[in-house]
Coordinates of all heavy atoms in Angstrom, one line a residue:
R1 N 0.8 -1.1 0.1 CA 0.0 0.0 0.0 C 0.8 1.2 0.0 O 1.8 1.4 0.8 CB -0.9 0.0 1.2 CG -1.9 1.2 1.3 CD -2.9 1.1 2.4 NE -3.7 2.2 2.4 CZ -5.0 2.3 1.7 NH1 -5.2 1.3 0.8 NH2 -5.8 3.3 1.8
G2 N 0.5 2.2 -1.0 CA 1.2 3.5 -1.0 C 2.6 3.5 -1.6 O 3.2 4.6 -1.5
I3 N 3.0 2.4 -2.2 CA 4.4 2.3 -2.8 C 4.3 2.3 -4.2 O 3.7 1.5 -4.9 CB 5.0 1.0 -2.2 CG1 5.1 1.0 -0.6 CG2 6.5 0.9 -2.8 CD1 5.8 2.1 0.0
A4 N 5.1 3.3 -4.8 CA 5.3 3.3 -6.2 C 6.3 2.2 -6.6 O 7.2 1.9 -5.8 CB 5.8 4.7 -6.6
M5 N 6.2 1.8 -7.8 CA 7.0 0.6 -8.2 C 7.7 1.0 -9.6 O 7.2 1.9 -10.4 CB 6.1 -0.6 -8.5 CG 5.4 -1.1 -7.2 SD 6.5 -1.8 -6.0 CE 7.1 -3.2 -6.9
G6 N 8.8 0.3 -9.9 CA 9.5 0.6 -11.2 C 10.1 -0.6 -11.7 O 10.3 -1.7 -11.0
W7 N 10.4 -0.6 -13.0 CA 11.1 -1.6 -13.6 C 12.5 -1.0 -14.1 O 12.4 0.1 -14.8 CB 10.4 -2.2 -14.8 CG 9.3 -3.2 -14.5 CD1 7.9 -2.8 -14.3 CD2 9.4 -4.5 -14.3 NE1 7.3 -4.0 -14.0 CE2 8.1 -5.0 -13.9 CE3 10.6 -5.4 -14.1 CZ2 8.0 -6.4 -13.6 CZ3 10.3 -6.8 -13.9 CH2 9.0 -7.2 -13.6
F8 N 13.5 -1.7 -14.0 CA 14.9 -1.3 -14.6 C 15.4 -2.5 -15.3 O 15.0 -3.6 -15.1 CB 15.9 -0.9 -13.5 CG 15.5 0.4 -12.8 CD1 14.4 0.5 -11.9 CD2 16.2 1.6 -13.0 CE1 14.1 1.7 -11.3 CE2 15.8 2.7 -12.4 CZ 14.8 2.8 -11.5
R9 N 16.4 -2.2 -16.1 CA 17.1 -3.3 -16.8 C 18.6 -3.0 -16.9 O 19.1 -2.0 -16.8 CB 16.5 -3.5 -18.2 CG 16.8 -2.3 -19.2 CD 16.0 -2.5 -20.4 NE 16.3 -1.5 -21.4 CZ 15.6 -1.5 -22.6 NH1 14.6 -2.3 -22.9 NH2 16.0 -0.4 -23.5
Q10 N 19.3 -4.1 -17.0 CA 20.8 -4.1 -17.2 C 21.3 -5.1 -18.1 O 21.1 -6.3 -18.0 CB 21.4 -4.3 -15.7 CG 22.9 -4.0 -15.7 CD 23.4 -3.9 -14.3 OE1 22.8 -4.4 -13.3 NE2 24.5 -3.2 -14.1
A11 N 22.0 -4.6 -19.2 CA 22.7 -5.5 -20.0 C 24.1 -5.6 -19.6 O 24.7 -4.8 -18.8 CB 22.7 -4.9 -21.4
P12 N 24.8 -6.7 -20.0 CA 26.2 -7.0 -19.5 C 27.1 -5.8 -19.9 O 27.1 -5.2 -21.1 CB 26.6 -8.2 -20.3 CG 25.3 -9.0 -20.5 CD 24.4 -7.9 -20.8
G13 N 27.9 -5.4 -18.9 CA 28.8 -4.2 -19.2 C 28.1 -2.9 -19.1 O 28.9 -1.9 -19.4
K14 N 26.9 -2.7 -18.9 CA 26.2 -1.5 -19.0 C 25.6 -1.2 -17.5 O 25.4 -2.1 -16.7 CB 25.1 -1.5 -20.0 CG 25.6 -1.6 -21.4 CD 24.4 -1.4 -22.4 CE 24.9 -1.6 -23.8 NZ 23.8 -1.5 -24.8
E15 N 25.3 0.1 -17.4 CA 24.7 0.5 -16.2 C 23.2 0.1 -16.1 O 22.6 0.0 -17.1 CB 24.7 2.1 -16.1 CG 26.0 2.6 -15.8 CD 26.5 2.3 -14.4 OE1 25.8 2.8 -13.4 OE2 27.6 1.8 -14.3
R16 N 22.6 -0.1 -14.9 CA 21.2 -0.5 -14.8 C 20.4 0.9 -15.2 O 20.7 1.9 -14.7 CB 20.9 -0.8 -13.4 CG 19.6 -1.4 -13.2 CD 19.4 -2.0 -11.9 NE 20.3 -3.2 -11.7 CZ 20.2 -3.9 -10.5 NH1 19.4 -3.8 -9.6 NH2 21.2 -4.9 -10.5
E17 N 19.5 0.7 -16.1 CA 18.8 1.9 -16.6 C 17.2 1.7 -16.3 O 16.7 0.6 -16.3 CB 19.1 2.0 -18.1 CG 18.5 0.9 -18.9 CD 18.7 1.2 -20.4 OE1 19.3 2.1 -20.8 OE2 18.2 0.3 -21.3
F18 N 16.7 2.9 -16.2 CA 15.3 3.0 -16.0 C 14.4 2.5 -17.2 O 14.8 2.8 -18.3 CB 14.9 4.4 -15.6 CG 13.5 4.8 -15.6 CD1 12.6 4.3 -14.5 CD2 12.8 5.4 -16.5 CE1 11.3 4.5 -14.4 CE2 11.5 5.7 -16.5 CZ 10.8 5.3 -15.4
V19 N 13.4 1.8 -16.9 CA 12.5 1.4 -18.0 C 11.1 2.0 -17.8 O 10.6 2.6 -18.7 CB 12.4 -0.2 -18.0 CG1 11.3 -0.6 -19.1 CG2 13.7 -0.8 -18.2
A20 N 10.5 1.8 -16.6 CA 9.1 2.3 -16.4 C 8.8 2.4 -14.9 O 9.5 1.7 -14.1 CB 8.1 1.3 -17.1
A21 N 7.9 3.2 -14.6 CA 7.5 3.3 -13.2 C 5.9 3.6 -13.1 O 5.4 4.1 -14.1 CB 8.1 4.5 -12.5
I22 N 5.4 3.2 -12.1 CA 4.0 3.4 -11.8 C 3.7 3.8 -10.3 O 4.3 3.3 -9.5 CB 3.2 2.1 -12.2 CG1 1.7 2.3 -12.2 CG2 3.6 1.0 -11.3 CD1 0.9 1.1 -12.8
S23 N 2.7 4.6 -10.3 CA 2.3 5.2 -8.9 C 1.5 4.2 -8.2 O 1.0 3.2 -8.7 CB 1.5 6.5 -9.0 OG 0.2 6.2 -9.7
W24 N 1.3 4.3 -6.9 CA 0.6 3.4 -6.1 C -0.9 3.2 -6.6 O -1.3 2.0 -6.7 CB 0.4 4.0 -4.7 CG -0.8 3.4 -3.9 CD1 -1.9 4.0 -3.5 CD2 -0.9 2.0 -3.5 NE1 -2.8 3.1 -2.8 CE2 -2.2 1.9 -2.9 CE3 -0.2 0.8 -3.6 CZ2 -2.7 0.8 -2.4 CZ3 -0.7 -0.3 -3.1 CH2 -1.9 -0.4 -2.4
S25 N -1.6 4.2 -7.0 CA -2.9 4.0 -7.5 C -2.9 3.5 -8.9 O -4.0 3.0 -9.4 CB -3.6 5.4 -7.5 OG -3.0 6.2 -8.5
G26 N -1.8 3.5 -9.7 CA -1.7 3.2 -11.1 C -2.2 4.4 -11.9 O -2.2 4.2 -13.2
G27 N -2.5 5.5 -11.4 CA -2.9 6.5 -12.2 C -1.9 7.3 -13.0 O -2.2 8.0 -13.8
S28 N -0.6 7.1 -12.5 CA 0.5 7.8 -13.2 C 1.6 6.7 -13.6 O 2.0 5.9 -12.8 CB 1.1 8.7 -12.2 OG 0.2 9.8 -11.9
T29 N 1.9 6.8 -14.9 CA 3.0 5.9 -15.3 C 4.1 6.9 -16.0 O 3.8 7.9 -16.4 CB 2.5 4.9 -16.3 OG1 1.7 5.6 -17.4 CG2 1.5 3.9 -15.6
Y30 N 5.2 6.3 -16.1 CA 6.3 7.0 -16.6 C 7.3 6.0 -17.3 O 7.6 5.0 -16.7 CB 7.0 7.7 -15.4 CG 8.3 8.4 -15.6 CD1 8.5 9.1 -16.8 CD2 9.3 8.5 -14.6 CE1 9.7 9.8 -17.0 CE2 10.5 9.1 -14.8 CZ 10.8 9.8 -16.0 OH 11.9 10.5 -16.1
Y31 N 7.8 6.3 -18.5 CA 8.5 5.4 -19.4 C 9.7 6.0 -19.9 O 9.8 7.3 -20.2 CB 7.7 5.0 -20.6 CG 6.4 4.2 -20.2 CD1 5.2 4.8 -20.1 CD2 6.5 2.9 -20.0 CE1 4.0 4.1 -19.7 CE2 5.3 2.2 -19.7 CZ 4.1 2.8 -19.6 OH 3.0 2.1 -19.3
A32 N 10.8 5.3 -20.0 CA 11.9 5.8 -20.8 C 11.6 5.9 -22.2 O 10.8 5.2 -22.8 CB 13.1 4.6 -20.5
D33 N 12.2 6.9 -22.8 CA 11.9 7.2 -24.2 C 12.1 5.9 -25.1 O 11.5 5.7 -26.1 CB 12.8 8.3 -24.7 CG 12.4 9.7 -24.2 OD1 11.3 9.8 -23.7 OD2 13.1 10.6 -24.2
S34 N 13.1 5.1 -24.8 CA 13.5 3.9 -25.6 C 12.4 2.8 -25.6 O 12.4 2.0 -26.5 CB 14.8 3.3 -25.1 OG 14.6 2.9 -23.7
V35 N 11.5 2.9 -24.7 CA 10.4 1.9 -24.6 C 9.1 2.5 -24.8 O 8.0 1.7 -24.8 CB 10.5 1.1 -23.3 CG1 11.9 0.4 -23.1 CG2 10.1 1.9 -22.0
K36 N 8.9 3.7 -24.7 CA 7.6 4.4 -24.9 C 6.9 3.9 -26.1 O 7.5 4.0 -27.2 CB 7.8 5.9 -24.8 CG 6.4 6.7 -24.5 CD 6.8 8.2 -24.3 CE 7.7 8.4 -23.2 NZ 8.0 9.8 -22.9
G37 N 5.6 3.6 -26.0 CA 4.9 3.1 -27.0 C 4.9 1.6 -27.3 O 4.1 1.1 -28.0
R38 N 5.9 1.0 -26.7 CA 6.1 -0.5 -26.8 C 5.7 -1.3 -25.5 O 5.3 -2.4 -25.5 CB 7.5 -0.9 -27.4 CG 7.8 -0.2 -28.6 CD 9.1 -0.7 -29.3 NE 10.2 -0.3 -28.2 CZ 11.0 -1.2 -27.7 NH1 10.9 -2.5 -27.8 NH2 12.1 -0.7 -27.0
F39 N 6.2 -0.6 -24.4 CA 6.0 -1.3 -23.1 C 4.9 -0.6 -22.4 O 4.7 0.6 -22.4 CB 7.3 -1.2 -22.3 CG 8.4 -1.9 -22.8 CD1 8.5 -2.6 -24.0 CD2 9.5 -2.1 -22.0 CE1 9.6 -3.3 -24.5 CE2 10.7 -2.8 -22.4 CZ 10.7 -3.4 -23.6
T40 N 4.2 -1.4 -21.6 CA 3.2 -0.9 -20.6 C 3.4 -1.5 -19.2 O 3.4 -2.8 -19.1 CB 1.7 -1.3 -21.2 OG1 1.6 -0.8 -22.4 CG2 0.7 -0.7 -20.2
I41 N 3.5 -0.6 -18.3 CA 3.5 -1.0 -16.9 C 2.2 -0.9 -16.3 O 1.3 0.0 -16.6 CB 4.5 -0.1 -16.0 CG1 4.8 -0.8 -14.6 CG2 4.0 1.3 -16.0 CD1 5.9 -0.1 -13.9
S42 N 1.9 -2.0 -15.4 CA 0.5 -1.9 -14.8 C 0.7 -2.6 -13.5 O 1.7 -3.2 -13.1 CB -0.6 -2.6 -15.6 OG -0.2 -4.0 -15.8
R43 N -0.3 -2.5 -12.6 CA -0.3 -3.2 -11.3 C -1.6 -3.6 -10.8 O -2.7 -3.1 -11.3 CB 0.4 -2.3 -10.3 CG -0.4 -1.0 -9.8 CD 0.4 -0.1 -9.1 NE 0.8 -0.7 -7.7 CZ 1.8 -0.1 -7.0 NH1 2.5 1.0 -7.4 NH2 2.1 -0.7 -5.9
D44 N -1.7 -4.7 -10.1 CA -2.9 -5.3 -9.5 C -2.5 -5.2 -7.9 O -2.0 -6.2 -7.5 CB -3.1 -6.6 -10.0 CG -4.5 -7.2 -9.5 OD1 -5.0 -6.7 -8.5 OD2 -5.1 -8.1 -10.1
N45 N -3.0 -4.3 -7.2 CA -2.7 -4.2 -5.8 C -3.3 -5.3 -5.0 O -2.7 -5.7 -3.9 CB -3.1 -2.8 -5.3 CG -2.1 -1.6 -5.8 OD1 -1.2 -1.9 -6.3 ND2 -2.8 -0.4 -5.8
A46 N -4.4 -5.8 -5.4 CA -5.1 -7.0 -4.7 C -4.3 -8.2 -4.7 O -4.3 -8.9 -3.8 CB -6.4 -7.2 -5.3
K47 N -3.3 -8.2 -5.8 CA -2.5 -9.4 -6.0 C -1.0 -9.0 -5.5 O -0.1 -9.8 -5.7 CB -2.5 -9.9 -7.3 CG -3.8 -10.4 -7.7 CD -3.8 -11.0 -9.2 CE -5.1 -11.7 -9.6 NZ -5.1 -12.2 -11.0

């Protein structure tokens, strides 16, 4: 409850980079430009 979540990724030899984030309610999402339009972050708080 109340915790925003994110996804990051890391390729060998590279820094861990931001992919996507979502607010607690799911009402706000935020994407890296590299994945925008292709990836979708979502959450099911009941689960």
Side-chain angles (χ1 to χ4, degrees):
R1 184 174 181 83
I3 303 299
M5 304 289 293
W7 286 96
F8 290 75
R9 66 187 183 186
Q10 187 168 24
K14 295 184 178 180
E15 292 288 305
R16 191 169 299 187
E17 67 177 3
F18 170 75
V19 176
I22 188 167
S23 63
W24 157 248
S25 68
S28 297
T29 57
Y30 175 34
Y31 298 94
D33 288 343
S34 60
V35 306
K36 194 173 298 182
R38 299 188 298 120
F39 291 11
T40 303
I41 188 171
S42 62
R43 67 193 297 165
D44 185 340
N45 289 339
K47 296 181 178 180

